[in-house]
Amino acid sequence: MNTIKVAILGLGTVGTGVYKLIQKRADVMERTAGAKLEVKKILVRNMQKKREGVEQELLTDNWKEILEDDEISVVIEVMGGLEPAKTMILEALEAGKNVVSANKDLIAEEGHVLLDTAQKNQVDFLFEAAVAGGIPIIRPLKQCLAANDISEIVGIVNGTTNYILTKMTEEGMDFADALKKAQELGFAEADPTADVEGLDAGRKVAIMASIAFHSRVVFFNVHTEGITKITARDIAYAKEFDSVIKLLGVAHNTENGIEVGVYPMMIRKEHPLASVRDSFNAVFVHGDAVDDAMFYGRGAGEFPTASAVMGDVIDVVRNIGYGCTGRISCTCYKDLPIKEFGQVKNKFFIRMQVANEPGVLAAIAEVFGDHKVSITRVVQEHSAPEAAELVIVTERVKECNMQEALKALMEIPSIQEISSIIREY
Amino acid sequence: MNTIKVAILGLGTVGTGVYKLIQKRADVMERTAGAKLEVKKILVRNMQKKREGVEQELLTDNWKEILEDDEISVVIEVMGGLEPAKTMILEALEAGKNVVSANKDLIAEEGHVLLDTAQKNQVDFLFEAAVAGGIPIIRPLKQCLAANDISEIVGIVNGTTNYILTKMTEEGMDFADALKKAQELGFAEADPTADVEGLDAGRKVAIMASIAFHSRVVFFNVHTEGITKITARDIAYAKEFDSVIKLLGVAHNTENGIEVGVYPMMIRKEHPLASVRDSFNAVFVHGDAVDDAMFYGRGAGEFPTASAVMGDVIDVVRNIGYGCTGRISCTCYKDLPIKEFGQVKNKFFIRMQVANEPGVLAAIAEVFGDHKVSITRVVQEHSAPEAAELVIVTERVKECNMQEALKALMEIPSIQEISSIIREY
């Protein structure tokens, strides 16, 4: 029975989870993967920091010690960030080591370089943990659904914002309170920008779109909007429309290019994504053969993420045993254009405050008509004798037309405020 | 570029789907799997039957023609049933051919023989399509979640019964009407026994439990009950209890054995399985690292099932290319006991018709107390002056104690009828 020696880069939350899980599953690893697993080195920045339950002699702050150790055949990169992770991964791959990574920031920007380098060296570069934490999604897309032409991938891939929106929906909290609560519970960071502005979700949707559509999509291609402007009033309207508001990462493979964005959307209650609550994540996929499919689970956390990392590691161990590392590499063999966001079509929910005077609705309808925006629904509520709240729901219209229409609306003096613009799924 | 030649055994719904999907994806197969795929032979029973869109010269009714053709390296078994499928699969594996199968009946009874034979011959035996149609579940369990100790697997794995229960819940239909509608739409067969009695679901849960718990579970081990006794009245009570009724395949890995059964259960509305509607399937998994995860999609149908079959075929093609067929074989390395069903604990919902006279509730409570059944909830409704409907919800109690208690209840003269016994998830 072989022993496979691994190195872990980074001993934060995920790194610690991976280390513990390797210890915990040492006994079964031989039976399921065909080899023992031994952590030989752990790369840390601070050698002085006390780390409960980790053997001190495994720690090193010298990358070369790992890189030049020929006994180490698997490198688990869980430190995150672009550098030095990128350089280390590339060096490891060039040295013939297999790499398992959870680094969404890096993969969403430079995934192709890493995958190409792995392929050149016939080693594995696997990254199930980079998208949606513990949820199996990369392997299902690359293998189980490989015979499908996937046209759509839509995901709730940020637990922080889903927790906040769930609290707003179920407990009537406003955004600030829900964010505060998420921070208290450790679901949101002190600086929540990457989560609440949709950047984290944007990286994940870029990775998923690349794999689903077999064509390179990077974070830069993703139009991102966050949830900071969502109000309790919008949530109430969603309920009235038998919908909920979710921050969705949306990618479509259309005839004239890939559409990819992250933004809050109203989604019908019957849709399986609508019932994904709290900090859970889910990814919904439509393929021409499989039809609709959805993958649900924990999108983050020490052990859920370690579960995904270790699933990859076990696969690498099997591949080493069978001499077939590198058997699945980059699947982006197409070069599809990315559609300019202005050309993407969406339905819109627009809530505005208007003066309660004759002709306002006619003026608004005219502006929409001029910009090719068809209206499907109008709800008007009188909040005060002289003011009214007007909600307009549109047909699917081009983003650029909607932007132009909104600019024109701002010119109408009786429109006091455009309070919300939310897309509908 | 290699060409991999395959044979398809059976040209029913799934076989036709597989054939069509291979033709449809011929162009991309080289890019994603590294080799072309060519259907060389299709085994059919009736050579005379006209088959639209299939080249007549591919058909054969002679198994030996396929078995003895050394060019054929992958056999796709989609004919179903125990024999001759078993013999053919074993012969194919012994001849060094890889086999992909969608045959749940066979795998739920003889899976270990097939897997052992594959392992001995270092070829692949893959069967993603045997459970939950197009939904990726076997590969996620065997690979993505391989580092988990999985304690629970619960699934809606029969589309027919889920469709029927959805119609009963959402449209107030009774069982007979909903079944008739399912038959009209082709969701249920003329003889619906295997579906409505939970046998089909039982086979799938046996396969999933084997893989999830690394220990052999066969169909014979599964306690099965169907949905034929569920009434509109039960559905209404479920609603009142903020629940829905679903036919669940339930498997638990407990300290004193594996529990495995299929029966209708009331499940809380917030649970992700509760919102799985119509003929969709879903499998919910709890692992110690990943926490909760769920896999949702189409559990049957020509193309969803073909999607799963082809995902496996593409994997085999990759393995052939890398010379690593047989890299994942049987993962049942434990030999866990199966718990006798009487020892399994469940919560129960019991609905009965009783005479409206003093002392009835006391007598019932005494019987339950005598059999160690704790009651958590009692609802009484007067349907007529002299009769009442009594609903009792229990704590978790042993199945054998509940059976004894029910026998004793039948002895009480004022109990006119025990109308329903439904477990609670």
Side-chain angles (χ1 to χ4, degrees):
Chain A
M1 183 60 64
N2 281 326
T3 298
I4 303 287
K5 298 194 178 174
V6 307
I8 303 174
L9 314 188
L11 199 55
T13 308
V14 178
T16 308
V18 169
Y19 179 78
K20 287 187 201 162
L21 202 52
I22 291 176
Q23 311 305 315
K24 202 173 171 187
R25 287 292 117 79
D27 57 324
V28 303
M29 212 60 87
E30 290 183 58
R31 316 300 295 264
T32 48
K36 277 189 194 170
L37 213 57
E38 185 191 317
V39 178
K40 195 172 177 195
K41 287 284 167 204
I42 303 173
L43 186 72
V44 294
R45 220 177 315 183
N46 180 355
M47 293 285 287
Q48 261 53 60
K49 196 170 156 190
K50 182 141 175 62
R51 297 159 199 273
E52 197 90 34
V54 179
E55 293 170 61
Q56 193 67 31
E57 62 267 35
L58 298 180
L59 304 183
T60 176
D61 57 2
N62 180 2
W63 161 238
K64 291 278 177 269
E65 240 182 69
I66 293 169
L67 181 65
E68 289 164 5
D69 187 335
D70 289 340
E71 277 192 0
I72 294 173
S73 52
V74 187
V75 170
I76 302 170
E77 185 274 307
V78 281
M79 52 197 208
L82 299 184
E83 284 293 356
K86 182 185 169 187
T87 301
M88 288 177 185
I89 292 175
L90 288 175
E91 287 180 355
L93 295 170
E94 292 284 6
K97 297 184 194 304
N98 302 279
V99 176
V100 172
S101 169
N103 193 331
K104 58 181 171 295
D105 299 41
L106 177 58
I107 296 164
E109 297 199 3
E110 307 266 11
H112 65 295
V113 179
L114 307 175
L115 281 162
D116 288 351
T117 308
Q119 187 161 14
K120 200 184 69 187
N121 294 283
Q122 274 299 303
V123 289
D124 283 327
F125 177 68
L126 302 178
F127 49 91
E128 183 67 77
V131 177
I135 306 174
I137 180 68
I138 304 292
R139 189 169 284 101
L141 284 174
K142 281 204 171 190
Q143 297 183 243
C144 307
L145 304 179
N148 282 265
D149 188 358
I150 294 174
S151 54
E152 181 183 30
I153 189 150
V154 188
I156 295 172
V157 286
N158 180 271
T160 308
T161 46
N162 204 48
Y163 176 85
I164 291 171
L165 290 170
T166 303
K167 288 290 148 191
M168 291 176 73
T169 301
E170 297 184 3
E171 298 176 23
M173 285 189 190
D174 67 16
F175 173 77
D177 289 340
L179 171 60
K180 208 173 142 219
K181 178 136 194 201
Q183 284 170 325
E184 280 165 17
L185 292 170
F187 290 156
E189 294 179 54
D191 176 2
T193 313
D195 291 322
V196 301
E197 296 296 355
L199 312 181
D200 172 78
R203 295 190 174 99
K204 292 165 183 167
V205 78
I207 297 172
M208 290 194 295
S210 300
I211 294 166
F213 306 151
H214 302 292
S215 187
R216 198 182 155 204
V217 178
V218 295
F219 178 52
F220 175 78
N221 302 134
V222 185
H223 175 92
T224 54
E225 294 178 24
I227 63 163
T228 56
K229 292 175 195 155
I230 302 292
T231 65
R233 192 106 186 103
D234 299 319
I235 301 271
Y237 270 108
K239 206 168 276 179
E240 201 180 311
F241 293 175
D242 286 324
S243 299
V244 289
I245 297 176
K246 294 286 183 191
L247 182 68
L248 299 181
V250 183
H252 287 103
N253 189 8
T254 76
E255 272 184 23
N256 38 14
I258 292 173
E259 304 175 354
V260 59
V262 171
Y263 26 79
M265 295 189 96
M266 289 198 182
I267 184 167
R268 300 275 310 170
K269 274 195 181 130
E270 305 86 56
H271 194 284
L273 284 171
S275 51
V276 176
R277 298 168 61 248
D278 291 334
S279 63
F280 277 95
N281 283 19
V283 178
F284 182 90
V285 179
H286 185 86
D288 64 342
V290 77
D291 193 46
D292 292 339
M294 191 177 81
F295 303 84
Y296 166 99
R298 292 270 173 213
E302 178 177 6
F303 284 110
T305 311
S307 164
V309 168
M310 289 306 299
D312 280 351
V313 170
I314 290 173
D315 235 21
V316 172
V317 170
R318 282 174 175 143
N319 288 346
I320 292 173
Y322 276 83
C324 61
T325 58
R327 68 186 268 286
I328 302 183
S329 52
C330 191
T331 45
C332 288
Y333 61 89
K334 295 181 189 172
D335 189 14
L336 303 172
I338 309 287
K339 197 184 280 187
E340 206 182 305
F341 190 66
Q343 298 304 307
V344 172
K345 281 184 176 180
N346 271 309
K347 288 184 187 178
F348 288 85
F349 161 99
I350 302 152
R351 184 166 65 84
M352 55 185 115
Q353 313 306 320
V354 301
N356 192 7
E357 54 192 33
V360 177
L361 188 56
I364 292 171
E366 197 188 332
V367 164
F368 279 131
D370 288 349
H371 292 87
K372 300 180 191 161
V373 176
S374 299
I375 293 170
T376 56
R377 186 167 183 172
V378 177
V379 179
Q380 184 162 348
E381 277 183 25
H382 294 265
S383 46
E386 70 290 351
E389 181 165 78
L390 194 65
V391 164
I392 289 174
V393 179
T394 75
E395 295 278 9
R396 290 184 70 229
V397 298
K398 278 192 187 169
E399 289 279 347
C400 61
N401 289 349
M402 178 52 67
Q403 293 315 318
E404 290 301 317
L406 289 170
K407 262 187 231 161
L409 285 181
M410 311 283 253
E411 305 290 310
I412 301 177
S414 9
I415 297 182
Q416 292 152 2
E417 182 191 90
I418 295 179
S419 313
S420 317
I421 303 150
I422 302 174
R423 294 172 183 86
E424 284 199 3
Y425 179 75
Chain B
M1 183 60 62
N2 281 326
T3 298
I4 303 286
K5 297 193 178 173
V6 307
I8 303 175
L9 313 188
L11 200 54
T13 308
V14 178
T16 308
V18 169
Y19 179 78
K20 287 186 201 161
L21 202 50
I22 291 176
Q23 311 307 314
K24 202 173 170 188
R25 286 293 117 78
D27 57 326
V28 303
M29 212 61 86
E30 291 183 56
R31 315 300 295 263
T32 49
K36 276 190 194 172
L37 214 56
E38 185 192 317
V39 178
K40 194 171 178 196
K41 287 282 168 207
I42 302 173
L43 185 73
V44 294
R45 219 175 318 184
N46 181 354
M47 293 285 288
Q48 261 52 61
K49 195 170 156 190
K50 181 142 175 62
R51 297 161 199 271
E52 195 92 36
V54 178
E55 291 169 62
Q56 193 67 29
E57 62 267 35
L58 298 181
L59 305 183
T60 176
D61 56 4
N62 180 3
W63 162 237
K64 291 279 176 267
E65 236 182 73
I66 291 169
L67 181 65
E68 289 164 7
D69 187 335
D70 289 340
E71 276 192 359
I72 293 174
S73 52
V74 186
V75 170
I76 302 170
E77 185 274 305
V78 281
M79 53 198 208
L82 299 185
E83 284 293 358
K86 183 186 167 187
T87 302
M88 288 177 185
I89 292 175
L90 287 174
E91 287 180 352
L93 296 170
E94 292 285 5
K97 298 185 194 305
N98 303 280
V99 176
V100 172
S101 170
N103 193 330
K104 59 182 169 295
D105 299 41
L106 178 59
I107 296 165
E109 296 198 5
E110 308 263 14
H112 64 294
V113 179
L114 308 175
L115 281 162
D116 288 350
T117 308
Q119 188 162 13
K120 200 183 72 186
N121 293 283
Q122 275 298 304
V123 290
D124 283 327
F125 176 68
L126 303 178
F127 49 92
E128 183 67 76
V131 176
I135 306 175
I137 181 66
I138 305 292
R139 189 169 284 101
L141 284 174
K142 282 204 171 192
Q143 297 183 245
C144 307
L145 303 179
N148 281 265
D149 189 359
I150 293 173
S151 54
E152 181 183 28
I153 188 150
V154 188
I156 295 171
V157 286
N158 180 271
T160 308
T161 46
N162 204 48
Y163 176 84
I164 291 171
L165 290 170
T166 303
K167 287 289 150 193
M168 291 175 75
T169 302
E170 297 183 2
E171 297 175 23
M173 285 188 188
D174 67 17
F175 173 78
D177 289 341
L179 170 61
K180 206 173 144 217
K181 178 137 196 200
Q183 284 170 325
E184 282 166 16
L185 291 170
F187 290 155
E189 294 179 53
D191 175 0
T193 314
D195 291 323
V196 300
E197 295 297 353
L199 312 180
D200 172 77
R203 295 190 174 100
K204 292 167 184 166
V205 78
I207 298 172
M208 290 194 294
S210 300
I211 294 167
F213 305 151
H214 302 293
S215 187
R216 198 182 154 203
V217 178
V218 296
F219 177 51
F220 175 77
N221 302 133
V222 185
H223 176 93
T224 53
E225 294 179 24
I227 63 163
T228 56
K229 292 173 194 157
I230 303 292
T231 65
R233 191 106 185 102
D234 300 319
I235 301 269
Y237 271 107
K239 205 169 273 179
E240 202 180 310
F241 294 175
D242 286 326
S243 299
V244 290
I245 298 176
K246 294 287 183 190
L247 182 69
L248 298 182
V250 183
H252 287 103
N253 189 7
T254 76
E255 273 184 20
N256 38 12
I258 292 174
E259 304 175 354
V260 57
V262 171
Y263 24 80
M265 296 189 96
M266 289 198 182
I267 184 166
R268 302 274 309 169
K269 273 194 182 132
E270 306 84 58
H271 194 285
L273 284 171
S275 49
V276 176
R277 299 167 63 248
D278 291 333
S279 63
F280 277 95
N281 283 19
V283 178
F284 183 88
V285 179
H286 184 86
D288 64 342
V290 76
D291 193 49
D292 292 340
M294 192 176 82
F295 303 84
Y296 166 101
R298 293 268 173 215
E302 178 177 5
F303 283 109
T305 311
S307 164
V309 168
M310 288 308 298
D312 280 351
V313 170
I314 290 174
D315 235 21
V316 172
V317 170
R318 282 176 176 140
N319 288 345
I320 292 174
Y322 276 84
C324 61
T325 58
R327 67 187 270 285
I328 301 184
S329 53
C330 190
T331 45
C332 289
Y333 61 89
K334 295 182 190 171
D335 190 13
L336 302 173
I338 307 288
K339 198 183 279 187
E340 208 183 303
F341 190 65
Q343 299 302 308
V344 172
K345 283 185 173 177
N346 271 309
K347 289 185 188 176
F348 288 86
F349 161 98
I350 301 152
R351 185 167 64 85
M352 53 185 115
Q353 312 306 319
V354 301
N356 191 9
E357 54 193 32
V360 177
L361 188 56
I364 292 171
E366 197 188 334
V367 165
F368 278 130
D370 288 347
H371 292 87
K372 299 180 191 163
V373 176
S374 299
I375 294 170
T376 57
R377 186 169 182 171
V378 177
V379 179
Q380 186 164 346
E381 277 184 26
H382 294 265
S383 45
E386 69 292 350
E389 181 165 78
L390 194 65
V391 165
I392 289 175
V393 180
T394 75
E395 294 278 8
R396 290 182 71 228
V397 298
K398 280 192 184 168
E399 289 279 347
C400 59
N401 290 349
M402 178 51 69
Q403 293 315 318
E404 291 301 317
L406 290 169
K407 265 186 228 160
L409 284 181
M410 311 283 253
E411 305 292 310
I412 300 177
S414 10
I415 297 182
Q416 295 154 0
E417 182 191 88
I418 295 179
S419 314
S420 318
I421 303 150
I422 302 174
R423 295 172 183 84
E424 283 200 1
Y425 180 77

